[in-house]
Protein backbone atom coordinates (compact mmCIF):
# COMPACT_ATOMS: atom_id res chain seq x y z
CA UNK A 1 0.00 0.00 0.00
CA UNK A 2 3.01 2.29 0.38
CA UNK A 3 1.94 3.65 3.75
CA UNK A 4 5.44 3.60 5.25
CA UNK A 5 7.03 5.72 2.48
CA UNK A 6 4.08 8.13 2.48
CA UNK A 7 4.30 8.61 6.24
CA UNK A 8 8.09 8.94 6.14
CA UNK A 9 7.98 11.61 3.42
CA UNK A 10 5.26 13.60 5.18
CA UNK A 11 7.12 13.42 8.50
CA UNK A 12 10.32 14.61 6.84
CA UNK A 13 8.57 17.46 5.04
CA UNK A 14 6.93 18.58 8.29
CA UNK A 15 10.46 19.22 9.55
CA UNK A 16 11.70 20.97 6.42
CA UNK A 17 8.90 23.21 5.15
CA UNK A 18 6.19 25.35 6.67
CA UNK A 19 2.82 23.78 7.36
CA UNK A 20 1.20 26.21 4.93
CA UNK A 21 3.45 25.17 2.05
CA UNK A 22 3.09 21.48 2.86
CA UNK A 23 -0.69 21.70 3.23
CA UNK A 24 -1.05 23.47 -0.13
CA UNK A 25 1.20 20.90 -1.82
CA UNK A 26 -0.78 18.00 -0.32
CA UNK A 27 -4.07 19.59 -1.40
CA UNK A 28 -2.82 20.08 -4.98
CA UNK A 29 -1.53 16.51 -5.14
CA UNK A 30 -4.78 15.13 -3.74
CA UNK A 31 -6.86 17.02 -6.29
CA UNK A 32 -4.67 15.66 -9.08
CA UNK A 33 -4.90 12.11 -7.76
CA UNK A 34 -8.67 12.29 -7.27
CA UNK A 35 -9.18 13.48 -10.85
CA UNK A 36 -6.88 10.78 -12.19
CA UNK A 37 -8.72 7.92 -10.45
CA UNK A 38 -10.77 6.07 -13.04
CA UNK A 39 -10.72 2.42 -11.99
CA UNK A 40 -13.69 0.49 -10.75
CA UNK A 41 -14.67 1.14 -7.11
CA UNK A 42 -14.24 -2.60 -6.58
CA UNK A 43 -10.56 -2.35 -7.53
CA UNK A 44 -9.63 -0.09 -4.64
CA UNK A 45 -9.08 -0.71 -0.93
CA UNK A 46 -11.65 0.54 1.54
CA UNK A 47 -11.10 3.74 3.50
CA UNK A 48 -10.74 1.56 6.62
CA UNK A 49 -7.98 -0.50 4.96
CA UNK A 50 -6.08 2.66 4.03
CA UNK A 51 -6.46 4.12 7.53
CA UNK A 52 -5.29 0.85 9.07
CA UNK A 53 -2.20 0.81 6.83
CA UNK A 54 -1.20 4.36 7.81
CA UNK A 55 -1.75 3.78 11.52
CA UNK A 56 0.20 0.49 11.35
CA UNK A 57 3.03 2.17 9.40
CA UNK A 58 3.89 4.60 12.19
CA UNK A 59 5.76 1.81 14.00
CA UNK A 60 8.31 1.77 11.17
CA UNK A 61 8.81 5.53 10.80
CA UNK A 62 10.75 7.57 13.38
CA UNK A 63 8.33 10.15 14.73
CA UNK A 64 5.49 8.51 12.83
CA UNK A 65 3.22 8.71 15.85
CA UNK A 66 2.67 12.40 15.02
CA UNK A 67 -1.08 12.86 14.41
CA UNK A 68 -0.56 15.52 11.74
CA UNK A 69 1.86 13.32 9.80
CA UNK A 70 -0.54 10.37 9.94
CA UNK A 71 -3.51 12.48 8.83
CA UNK A 72 -1.64 14.01 5.87
CA UNK A 73 -0.21 10.64 4.77
CA UNK A 74 -3.69 9.09 4.94
CA UNK A 75 -5.09 12.03 2.95
CA UNK A 76 -2.60 11.40 0.14
CA UNK A 77 -3.24 7.66 0.12
CA UNK A 78 -7.01 8.11 0.09
CA UNK A 79 -6.74 10.51 -2.86
CA UNK A 80 -4.62 7.99 -4.73
CA UNK A 81 -7.67 5.72 -4.75
CA UNK A 82 -10.17 8.45 -5.54
CA UNK A 83 -11.44 9.23 -2.06
CA UNK A 84 -11.95 12.80 -0.88
CA UNK A 85 -11.09 13.68 2.71
CA UNK A 86 -10.87 16.66 5.02
CA UNK A 87 -8.02 17.44 7.38
CA UNK A 88 -9.18 18.79 10.74
CA UNK A 89 -6.98 20.48 13.32
CA UNK A 90 -8.04 21.40 16.81
CA UNK A 91 -6.94 21.63 20.43
CA UNK A 92 -7.96 20.34 23.82
CA UNK A 93 -6.85 20.90 27.40
CA UNK A 94 -5.15 18.10 29.29
CA UNK A 95 -5.49 17.47 33.02
CA UNK A 96 -2.84 20.14 33.74
CA UNK A 97 -4.85 22.71 31.75
CA UNK A 98 -2.22 22.76 28.98
CA UNK A 99 -3.40 23.08 25.38
CA UNK A 100 -2.64 20.05 23.20
CA UNK A 101 -2.98 20.34 19.42
CA UNK A 102 -4.46 17.42 17.50
CA UNK A 103 -5.08 16.58 13.84
CA UNK A 104 -7.41 14.01 12.35
CA UNK A 105 -8.85 13.03 8.99
CA UNK A 106 -12.48 12.70 7.98
CA UNK A 107 -13.89 11.00 4.91
CA UNK A 108 -17.36 9.90 3.95
CA UNK A 109 -18.74 11.69 7.02
CA UNK A 110 -16.62 9.91 9.61
CA UNK A 111 -13.23 10.15 11.30
CA UNK A 112 -10.82 7.50 10.05
CA UNK A 113 -7.44 8.64 11.43
CA UNK A 114 -6.89 10.33 14.79
CA UNK A 115 -10.38 9.79 16.12
CA UNK A 116 -9.49 8.89 19.70
CA UNK A 117 -9.00 12.52 20.81
CA UNK A 118 -10.96 14.32 18.10
CA UNK A 119 -14.23 14.34 20.02
CA UNK A 120 -12.64 16.31 22.87
CA UNK A 121 -11.12 18.95 20.57
CA UNK A 122 -12.26 22.39 19.64
CA UNK A 123 -11.81 22.56 15.87
CA UNK A 124 -9.80 25.44 14.45
CA UNK A 125 -11.68 27.21 11.67
CA UNK A 126 -10.18 28.53 8.47
CA UNK A 127 -7.54 25.88 7.87
CA UNK A 128 -6.92 27.26 4.38
CA UNK A 129 -6.10 30.68 5.83
CA UNK A 130 -3.96 29.15 8.58
CA UNK A 131 -2.01 27.22 5.99
CA UNK A 132 -0.80 30.49 4.56
CA UNK A 133 0.60 31.71 7.87
CA UNK A 134 4.04 30.21 7.19
CA UNK A 135 4.56 28.60 10.58
CA UNK A 136 6.56 25.40 10.83
CA UNK A 137 4.77 22.30 12.03
CA UNK A 138 7.00 19.94 13.97
CA UNK A 139 5.95 17.86 16.91
Amino acid sequence: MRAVPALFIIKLKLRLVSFGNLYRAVERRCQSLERAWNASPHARPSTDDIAWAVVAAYRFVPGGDNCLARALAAKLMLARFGYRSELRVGALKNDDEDFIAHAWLETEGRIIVGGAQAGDCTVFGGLDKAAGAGQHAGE
Side-chain angles (χ1 to χ4, degrees):
M1 269 247 195
R2 300 186 177 114
V4 171
L7 186 56
F8 180 80
I9 290 167
I10 290 293
K11 183 61 184 168
L12 180 64
K13 288 188 177 195
L14 280 169
R15 296 240 179 234
L16 299 176
V17 300
S18 72
F19 170 69
N21 288 339
L22 179 58
Y23 179 72
R24 283 189 296 275
V26 167
E27 281 294 314
R28 281 192 306 271
R29 182 68 178 141
C30 286
Q31 290 171 4
S32 173
L33 289 168
E34 289 164 3
R35 283 192 304 267
W37 178 257
N38 59 7
S40 164
H42 301 293
R44 65 183 179 174
S46 71
T47 57
D48 289 334
D49 289 341
I50 294 169
W52 177 88
V54 171
V55 171
Y58 91 84
R59 294 179 190 98
F60 304 101
V61 177
D65 59 341
N66 178 292
C67 58
L68 181 59
R70 286 193 313 261
L72 288 171
K75 184 170 184 58
L76 282 170
M77 291 189 63
L78 286 164
R80 181 172 174 238
F81 292 103
Y83 295 107
R84 292 181 185 259
S85 61
E86 294 292 326
L87 176 68
R88 302 283 186 237
V89 178
L92 58 102
K93 282 188 179 182
N94 65 11
D95 294 336
D96 296 328
E97 296 293 310
D98 296 324
F99 281 102
I100 307 294
H102 184 58
W104 62 96
L105 194 69
E106 297 178 5
T107 187
E108 299 177 340
R110 61 192 181 93
I111 298 170
I112 63 161
V113 173
Q117 293 178 318
D120 297 328
C121 287
T122 299
V123 179
F124 297 148
L127 186 57
D128 291 330
K129 289 180 184 177
Q135 296 179 355
H136 287 273
E139 289 295 308

